């Protein structure tokens, strides 16, 4: 762990950011297919721009998922975010659907058959991370950045703060002393707002949401509290900037405080290890830290297309471990089957639980009763402690 004093920054973007609109649409379509068939295969990419939504990708699912249902799911995702603006409206935006059948060459590598277990949907590397900086076992800068925007979005949707628009970004820079966060050095929030508002007016609307999220005494001075630095942010969302699925992968994970693998998550069913193995790696890392075996833990998994077992499992405790990392790697593979099938079954991922992951981070969220965010459970902690005693 790094010693001395330093600054570290992470950013978040709201559910109404153009890229997050696309993530939400793509994940809503994943949920639609999984609700009709838990074994459906989905890889959906979305593009948005001024009053236009474009869907592309590969699917394999039941005939009950019609093109009309797919379009309805996409429009409902936009409506739920809150876009009913002249330049981007959930009902009036033109929608192009270019989804087609999954390649049989990919399917034969993924599907189980005979003595062959289900294989990974692609090659790749995936990372998971956990630390003790927050109660959610997340790095503090990204955790705080998410919470600011999440609270502002809730105020907008509830009608408590109608001046806020759906599109927003935040950025939190924290000062660290000997590896521990101590205070905010600067905070940046840019939010779409109603016509006619002055910058200072928006700044004072934003301030209480920042103050409520930061720990007491952590707020930066006014000189380093930036709200809408350009001065005006009325035109936003896909009307202001085109959006694409999977373009905010660092926002989705650890805010740059830990490595990220090569793939995005949104729009992919859980046979895609880009998503499911990254969730498994987070699950393992969080349980290692929750078990008291380390203050920080990074897990890497790697896979080859069509191969069921991971090619490698790596653990790095950053000098904070109470156990040998080589032994930990052995035990991790004993307490959890890290094949694609094993991950899906252990975390029960074949359910329509993904639209909610599309904004405010895939990690650091509370496990939900219907199985959402199952990878945030700490139910392996005792097994890890026992195996490593």
């Amino acid at each position: 762990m790094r010693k001395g004093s330093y600054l570290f920054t992470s950013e978040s973007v709201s559910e109404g950011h153009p890229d997050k609109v696309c993530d939400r649409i793509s994940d809503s379509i994943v949920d639609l297919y999984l609700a009709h068939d838990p074994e459906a295969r989905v890889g959906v990419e979305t593009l948005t721009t001024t009053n236009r939504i474009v869907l592309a990708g590969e699917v394999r699912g039941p005939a009950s998922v019609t093109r009309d249902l797919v379009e309805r799911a996409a429009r409902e995702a936009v409506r739920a975010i809150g876009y009913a603006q002249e330049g981007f409206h959930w009902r009036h935006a033109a929608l192009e659907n270019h989804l087609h059948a999954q390649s049989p060459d990919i399917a034969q590598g993924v599907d189980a058959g005979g003595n062959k277990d289900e294989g990974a949907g692609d090659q790749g590397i995936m990372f998971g991370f956990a630390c003790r900086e927050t109660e959610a076992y997340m790095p503090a800068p990204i955790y705080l950045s998410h919470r600011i925007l999440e609270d502002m979005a809730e105020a907008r949707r509830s009608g408590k703060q109608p001046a806020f628009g759906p599109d927003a970004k935040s950025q939190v820079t924290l000062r660290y002393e000997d590896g521990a966060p101590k205070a905010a050095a600067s905070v940046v929030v840019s939010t779409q707002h109603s016509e006619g508002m002055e910058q200072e007016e928006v700044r004072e609307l934003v301030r209480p949401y920042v103050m409520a999220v930061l720990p007491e005494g952590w707020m930066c001075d006014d000189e380093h509290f930036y709200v809408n630095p350009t001065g005006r942010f009325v035109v936003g969302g896909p009307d202001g900037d085109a959006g694409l699925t999977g373009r905010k992968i660092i926002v989705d994970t650890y805010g740059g405080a830990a490595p990220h693998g090569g793939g995005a998550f949104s729009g992919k069913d859980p046979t895609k290890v880009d998503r499911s193995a990254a969730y498994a790696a987070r699950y393992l890392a969080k349980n290692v830290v929750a078990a008291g075996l380390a203050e920080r833990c990074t897990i890497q998994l790697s896979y080859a297309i069509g191969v069921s077992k991971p090619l490698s499992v790596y653990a790095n405790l950053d000098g904070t471990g109470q156990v040998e990392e080589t032994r930990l790697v052995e035990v991790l593979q004993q307490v959890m089957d890290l094949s694609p099938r094993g991950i899906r079954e252990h975390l029960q991922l074949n359910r329509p639980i993904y639209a909610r992951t599309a904004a405010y981070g895939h990690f650091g969220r509370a496990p939900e009763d219907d199985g959402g965010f199952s990878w945030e459970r700490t139910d392996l902690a005792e097994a890890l402690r026992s195996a490593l005693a």
Side-chain angles (χ1 to χ4, degrees), residues 1-2 6 8-10 129-144 172 174-182 215 218 254-258 282 289 294-297 318:
M1 232 173 3
R2 180 172 173 179
Y6 59 92
F8 192 84
T9 303
S10 295
F129 178 74
C131 63
R132 288 196 174 275
E133 290 183 18
T134 63
E135 62 183 14
Y137 298 92
M138 288 289 287
I142 187 67
Y143 182 77
L144 297 173
V172 174
L174 296 184
R175 177 174 55 82
Y176 281 73
E177 299 289 347
D178 292 332
K182 297 299 183 181
W218 279 35
Y254 309 103
R282 161 64 178 177
V289 177
E295 295 291 311
R296 297 165 63 87
C297 179
D318 201 17

Side-chain angles (χ1 to χ4, degrees), residues 269-329:
D269 75 77
T271 66
K272 277 71 169 176
V273 285
D274 280 345
R275 176 168 229 158
S276 57
Y279 290 174
R282 161 64 178 177
Y283 176 61
L284 293 177
K286 185 175 181 179
N287 275 272
V288 167
V289 177
L293 302 175
E295 295 291 311
R296 297 165 63 87
C297 179
T298 301
I299 303 290
Q300 186 205 55
L301 306 174
S302 72
Y303 293 84
I305 188 168
V307 179
S308 62
K309 294 295 184 181
L311 303 186
S312 66
V313 180
Y314 165 83
N316 182 355
L317 304 181
D318 201 17
T320 70
Q322 305 299 311
V323 296
E324 290 291 332
E325 289 159 344
T326 53
R327 175 61 179 148
L328 176 62
V329 167

Side-chain angles (χ1 to χ4, degrees), residues 28-42 60-70 72-73 350-352:
S28 295
I29 294 170
V30 172
D31 283 353
L32 172 66
Y33 271 92
L34 292 179
H36 282 250
D37 178 4
E39 301 299 323
R41 302 284 195 262
V42 188
R60 189 178 77 193
S64 57
V65 182
T66 63
R67 298 181 73 83
D68 283 347
L69 285 180
V70 168
R72 190 181 308 168
N350 284 94
R351 293 181 286 187

Side-chain angles (χ1 to χ4, degrees), residues 375-387:
W375 50 94
E376 291 296 312
R377 302 189 314 246
T378 55
D379 54 337
L380 278 186
E382 183 54 42
L384 288 170
R385 278 193 294 264
S386 296

Side-chain angles (χ1 to χ4, degrees), residues 8 21 104 113 117 121 130 133 151 153 179-181 207 209 224 240 253 278 311 315 319 328 332 344 382 388:
F8 192 84
V21 172
D117 195 5
E133 290 183 18
D151 287 357
R207 186 188 297 273
Y209 296 96
H224 296 96
T253 55
L311 303 186
L328 176 62
L332 291 175
R344 289 191 297 108
E382 183 54 42
L388 289 160

